[in-house]
Amino acid sequence: MNEASSRALLERLIGFPTVSRDSNLALIAFIQEYLANLGVECELFHNADRTKANLFATIGPRDRGGVVLSGHTDVVPVDGQAWSREPFRLTERDGRLYGRGTADMKGFIASVLAAVPGFLGKELKIPVHLAFSYDEEVGCLGVRPMLAELARRPNKPVLCLIGEPTELKPVLGHKGKLAMRCHVKGAACHSAYAPYGVNAIEYAARLIGRLGEIGTQLARSEYHDSRFDPPYSSVQTGLIKGGRALNIVPAECEFDFEVRALPDFDAQEVADKLQRYAESELVPAMRATHPDTGVSFQPLSAYPGLATEHDSEAARLAALLSGSTEFGTVSFGTEGGLFKQAGIPTLVCGPGSMDQGHKPDEYLSVQQLSGCDAMLARLGDYLRRVD
């Protein structure tokens, strides 16, 4: 299909406001009907309350592994952003297609859908699988039940191509992420008698300071991997809340922190170190003043990093499709590590740039969308010829 077809599909997809907090079922129904009209059957994998769904479809023979084209259907919110145009209506100006999700990552999904008639007309010897997920933007949560089913199937794909925006350059890796919430329970009293209370904010501050020390250790040169930017695992505290009034010793404080981990580093080590510090250094002092105090930790989200070998079959195929052997890495996360854990070799390559993602007036260039169309046409030609 030509560029206009992918553009028309993108216009339809942008019209569905699939912010992660809301349902994606209307968009999934549109894709399901579009594929059904082409004779392609779909499987749906719903969340527990059936308000969201993943979609999986196969084009070509079902007794071989094939190539997965993967994208997430959810987008980040537009709340508080100064858009100069309607975010959920596609507009074009000066070769740019504006709308929430154009770059991240409905442009890729539109191009994949536009390529389906071409795939169907080429009598593929190796199948193409479409895998569209929900709740990627809130911790890569939605894709997991679909991957659990795919991992049980006998014919493993030779490649999963995740179409996150990389300007159509093949990406072999990214960092993993662990997000945690720490809750400090202190003991309140009048601030005039502060030594008789347990100040939850002050103990939280000590924990945050300890996180900074752990982050400094991780940044030491012996832990660097020059493929990534920054070249080490990093730690940061992003949210904190506590206290009710200046003249009350705060009884509660909580903060959220995250670890962005190199693929070969277990981010849980950071949380474990912080918990050991709390239990050995802080909690005894807190309970010496008041027994009903403590520190607890709650996981918020996590996904693994991705590291695919540059000389792997998957990398060679991605290079052939993208026309580039200049493999890179990205700083943002994807569902790629989860696909790899399911036994599917994975790379990231899609139209647009994450420099435009998550921002007001997000856009995808017409040239990048056209380039993605061409890449998928090459994929169809390859899968028609290969044994």
Side-chain angles (χ1 to χ4, degrees):
M1 301 288 280
N2 60 26
E3 176 188 321
S5 297
S6 55
R7 186 203 182 283
L9 284 162
L10 180 57
E11 185 170 15
R12 293 296 305 274
L13 296 177
I14 295 302
F16 295 100
T18 51
V19 176
S20 303
R21 64 185 175 226
D22 301 321
S23 175
N24 75 333
L25 291 183
L27 180 147
I28 290 295
F30 166 74
I31 295 176
Q32 189 174 20
E33 181 181 7
Y34 170 83
L35 293 174
N37 288 337
L38 294 171
V40 179
E41 296 181 357
C42 302
E43 297 177 78
L44 300 186
F45 300 84
H46 288 87
N47 63 348
D49 57 7
R50 302 186 70 81
T51 58
K52 300 179 182 181
N54 301 302
L55 182 147
F56 186 81
T58 298
I59 301 163
R62 295 177 177 271
D63 59 347
R64 305 188 70 174
V67 173
V68 179
L69 301 175
S70 174
H72 63 81
T73 61
D74 60 318
V75 298
V76 297
V78 299
D79 308 52
Q81 293 187 337
W83 284 73
S84 65
R85 44 184 54 82
E86 169 57 46
F88 295 110
R89 183 170 62 87
L90 191 73
T91 56
E92 181 175 355
R93 183 176 180 181
D94 298 330
R96 294 176 175 180
L97 301 167
Y98 291 90
R100 172 56 86 220
T102 47
D104 186 19
M105 57 178 297
K106 291 179 178 178
F108 178 75
I109 295 176
S111 190
V112 170
L113 294 176
V116 170
F119 292 148
L120 290 169
K122 290 179 179 177
E123 298 184 359
L124 305 181
K125 295 181 179 179
I126 301 291
V128 170
H129 308 285
L130 314 185
F132 302 142
S133 66
Y134 64 88
D135 282 2
E136 188 272 350
E137 295 288 6
V138 289
C140 300
L141 302 179
V143 75
R144 297 170 196 248
M146 178 167 60
L147 285 177
E149 170 59 29
L150 297 183
R152 289 190 286 266
R153 297 185 178 181
N155 301 306
K156 292 289 189 300
V158 297
L159 170 66
C160 173
L161 193 67
I162 296 182
E164 293 275 10
T166 67
E167 297 182 314
L168 296 172
K169 299 173 183 176
V171 164
L172 291 171
H174 61 72
K175 295 180 181 180
K177 178 182 175 180
L178 172 68
M180 298 284 294
R181 176 167 294 158
C182 177
H183 181 261
V184 181
K185 182 181 181 182
C189 69
H190 194 291
S191 62
Y193 302 98
Y196 303 134
V198 177
N199 190 312
I201 290 178
E202 291 182 359
Y203 277 98
R206 292 175 66 177
L207 287 162
I208 293 170
R210 179 60 179 152
L211 272 176
E213 294 172 2
I214 294 172
T216 298
Q217 293 171 359
L218 292 175
R220 290 165 54 180
S221 59
E222 59 262 38
Y223 302 127
H224 283 199
D225 185 333
S226 61
R227 296 175 299 173
F228 295 89
D229 179 23
Y232 48 82
S233 300
S234 60
V235 183
Q236 77 107 17
T237 301
L239 292 170
I240 184 169
K241 61 180 180 180
R244 296 185 179 277
L246 183 58
N247 61 353
I248 302 174
V249 170
E252 306 287 339
C253 185
E254 68 179 26
F255 62 91
D256 296 352
F257 67 93
E258 68 172 18
V259 185
R260 298 280 181 164
L262 293 172
D264 60 352
F265 177 70
D266 183 1
Q268 186 62 40
E269 289 185 20
V270 173
D272 291 344
K273 283 184 178 181
L274 192 64
Q275 185 166 0
R276 287 194 297 268
Y277 170 72
E279 292 173 350
S280 63
E281 301 291 333
L282 303 187
V283 174
M286 296 167 68
R287 291 180 176 168
T289 301
H290 196 289
D292 190 24
T293 56
V295 178
S296 60
F297 294 86
Q298 172 192 351
L300 299 177
S301 65
Y303 56 78
L306 174 67
T308 300
E309 296 300 324
H310 72 277
D311 58 351
S312 64
E313 179 183 358
R316 288 192 291 271
L317 178 53
L320 177 66
L321 299 178
S322 66
S324 174
T325 58
E326 295 183 7
F327 299 113
T329 64
V330 290
S331 298
F332 57 85
T334 78
E335 296 166 334
L338 294 168
F339 273 91
K340 189 174 182 181
Q341 283 186 349
I344 303 171
T346 302
L347 280 89
V348 184
C349 185
S353 169
M354 195 57 84
D355 287 343
Q356 280 76 57
H358 296 204
K359 295 180 180 179
D361 291 344
E362 177 182 350
Y363 70 85
L364 171 69
S365 74
V366 172
Q367 183 181 23
Q368 282 283 300
L369 186 61
S370 177
C372 190
D373 292 342
M375 180 179 73
L376 296 176
R378 289 193 292 272
L379 173 63
D381 290 338
Y382 173 81
L383 297 179
R384 179 187 60 185
R385 299 190 309 267
V386 69
D387 291 326

